[in-house]
């Protein structure tokens, strides 16, 4: 089963700023998005639920330092990315 990535205007702006600051991560970022569409539970994504003020959201890894925070709507087979960036600022 594949999922549909739904990008909001706000996320596209955040992702654009992120990739402008980190052009060396563009291939890893795109690979992460492709894996999310194919299988959000792929082990290399390290998908996990967040808690506290981000409860209800999930996080996946681009690499060890960078994360994408996303809302995972499995019932609609949709994934809505919320934020992308360094580990601490995203959380």
């Amino acid at each position: 089963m594949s999922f549909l990535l739904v990008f909001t205007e706000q996320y596209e702006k955040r992702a654009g700023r992120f990739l402008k600051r980190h052009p060396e991560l563009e291939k890893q970022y795109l690979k992460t998005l492709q894996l999310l569409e194919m299988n959000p539970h792929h082990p290399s994504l390290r998908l996990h639920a967040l808690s506290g003020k981000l409860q209800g959201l999930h996080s996946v890894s681009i690499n060890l330092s960078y994360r994408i925070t996303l809302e995972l709507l499995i019932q609609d087979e949709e994934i809505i990315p919320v934020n992308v960036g360094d580990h601490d600022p995203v959380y």
Side-chain angles (χ1 to χ4, degrees):
M1 166 168 64
S2 63
F3 290 76
L4 175 66
L5 284 172
V6 179
F7 296 102
T8 63
E9 187 176 326
Q10 184 179 27
Y11 177 79
E12 287 179 350
K13 288 179 185 177
R14 289 175 175 171
R17 286 192 302 266
F18 173 77
L19 291 172
K20 192 172 185 176
R21 285 191 313 268
H22 304 286
E24 74 281 4
L25 295 174
E26 185 172 2
K27 282 186 180 180
Q28 286 180 296
Y29 171 75
L30 293 175
K31 181 181 177 186
T32 300
L33 294 179
Q34 288 174 337
L35 277 173
L36 270 172
E37 283 184 315
M38 291 186 296
N39 177 9
H41 300 285
H42 190 281
S44 69
L45 293 174
R46 296 186 289 282
L47 174 72
H48 61 280
L50 300 175
S51 59
K53 66 180 182 176
L54 297 176
Q55 188 170 2
L57 298 178
H58 291 74
S59 177
V60 294
S61 297
I62 297 172
N63 62 28
L64 292 175
S65 299
Y66 298 97
R67 308 283 193 264
I68 298 173
T69 307
L70 54 97
E71 185 174 344
L72 185 59
L73 301 172
I74 294 176
Q75 70 271 15
D76 295 331
E77 297 177 6
E78 290 183 346
I79 297 172
I80 303 171
V82 175
N83 200 358
V84 60
D86 300 336
H87 182 273
D88 292 336
V90 168
Y91 296 125

